[in-house]
Amino acid sequence: MLSINELRASIEGKEILKGINLEIKPGEVHAIMGPNGSGKSTLASVLAGREEYEVTGGTVVFDGKEILDMAPEDRAAEGIFLAFQYPVEIPGVTTINFLKTAVNEIRKYKGESPLDAAQFLKMVREKAKLVSMNDSLLKRALNEGFSGGEKKRNEIFQMAVLEPKLAILDETDSGLDIDALRIVAEGVNSLRSPDRSAIVVTHYQRLLDYIVPDYVHVLYKGRIVKSGTKELAFELEEKGYDWIKAEVEAIG
Amino acid sequence: MSNETIDLKTRLVTDFYARESVMNGEASSAFHQKKRAALAEFDKLGFPTTRNEEWKYSNVKDLTSVLYNFNADSSITSADLEDLKIPSQEANILYFINGHYNAALSVFVSASSQIIIDSLQEAYKKDPVLINTYFNELVKDENDAFTALNTAFAQDGVFIHIPDNQTVEHPVILRFISDARVQNVGSQPRNIIAVGRNAHVKLAEAYRTLGNERSFTNTVTEIFVSEDAGVEYYKVQNESENAYHIGTTKVKMLDRSQFYSGTVTLNGRFTRNNLNIILDGERCEAHMYGLYFPDGVQHVDNHTVADHRKPNSESNELYKGILRDRSKGVFNGKIFVRPDAQKTNAFQSCKNIVLSTDATMNTKPQLEIFADDVKCSHGTTTGQIDEEALFYMRSRGISQSEAMALLMFAFCADVISQIRIDSVREYLEGVIAEKLASK
């Protein structure tokens, strides 16, 4: 489904990703872990198409299509979704209106006719229930004045509505208490299916108790330096990242 | 035009005396003496240059470099108006074509016991003494060439009187249409709105242009708001690329009255709006909302004044602008708090999005506070579209152009949602959406 090959990217002349290789098959959940500044969020941003980053090498093929030259909105329409680490507040645009525009823009991209108001509302209500999202939040301006937990829940809610093939969760656990974390994780899990994949970017193992990954990769200094199964996450939780850094320096 | 060049000012002054010479007895009336004094003032002041602090960023050279026909006939029909796609609503609608009242196109729905509406000319014929008590009373000391010019030539326009304790259910919509299909046209409408005690009314002035020759509108509206009265006043400008508009609205508010205004400038080559509110009573509330959205080489200048003269009143102002291409915007907001106006609350905010490196916005808040127990605040921001918000929307599948449109529409919504005449608000929403989609 997703095939990342020797991906390099920099920002303001500084190279952050230094040759990432990653293969994700349909239905798989991959966790990306690593110390601060290792390039985790950069990888998430580059996959979603954030334009501040300059891709300097490599390829990313999603569902048979090279996506690096695609606009962010086209990637979204192809089925890539980024749950933001810091969801943006947009005054004046209600969550419901925002999502309706998104859904219909994606349908237009696929050559489908727009959903009418009734169909859309019915679908949205079902999805809101799925992630325990309060209906009243839908009518408010997008993320404006939302608590940290509400913002993250709104990300998962949007994901549920847009039904992406590949969800990228960028530190979705940061700033969440344990109850909010559980709700968010349940939302993600309810969307798991054999044809949907996810990349879970996280600093801590905590989230992975709830969203159990098939694979865990450690990103350090812009490269994936270690890959394993969920046991690797436990090991990192126990021993920290120093032993990985030491291993890399020894080889490097 | 002949080789002989005659400038606009000279032409106007000459025209005035030519008209006066055929007036017979009326020339000695108090009404005419006001006009005469105003003409002398205009003659003395001349058109402002950018050396005049009030006109520093707005150069009228282009406007005053050609002549206009101030008495142009118009063969306008209701079919022509169809092209302007003006929304219909059950309202009192008055048409002014090239500044002259057009009775055939106008409609009235409110009872005459609730509201008295006459063209200024008609009203003066009926009761010269009454009109004279209002005419020029608010703007006589403006020291502004355009206002003086309007006073000198004031002929048509409207006189609206709401008797005490009347609440006018249907809005009054004044449509000023410049028919510039065959020549450069000029108009100088003069409006007087007198709202009695505890009376309530909603008004809108709407400016449109037909044709592509130049139009010059120089308009003055004086609004008298009595004790406990409430007035909503909207000004909507959607004119042509060759339309020049200078407008002054001056308002005087008495105890416990409320004045609520919205000024929306969507199109026009050059626009200058002066909105001056005197809060001459206690516990008054004045609200000023404004939106401007110039593109191309359009120029929009809003000058506002909230003049607090008595204690315990409040003024609240929000102006917003989106500037594209090579357009220019100017905002100057004055707040005066006079020595007697203790416990005044005055707030002012001006927010702008500049979408092009060739567009400019000049903002100047000007607070002069002579009382010590007051709450005043002001703030201006000028920036670009929020890139982070744009990326967020695009990452959800919304195209860049659609995301920009949504963000800008949301930016405008703060002001547009304040407009409480439904048909006017819906019309504006439509024009804004169209304009947002155009690029």
Side-chain angles (χ1 to χ4, degrees), chain A residues 50 73 82 105 155 158, chain B residues 388 392 394 396-397 399-400:
Chain A
R50 192 186 279 274
E73 55 269 36
L82 172 65
E105 289 261 294
E155 294 294 286
Q158 291 175 35
Chain B
E388 191 62 21
Y392 188 64
R394 293 178 73 190
R396 299 298 182 253
S399 66
Q400 172 146 352

Side-chain angles (χ1 to χ4, degrees), chain B residues 107-122:
Chain B
V107 283
F108 298 91
V109 292
S110 295
S112 59
S113 57
Q114 274 202 327
I115 180 169
I116 295 150
I117 310 177
D118 269 316
S119 74
L120 189 60
Q121 227 173 358
E122 218 30 60

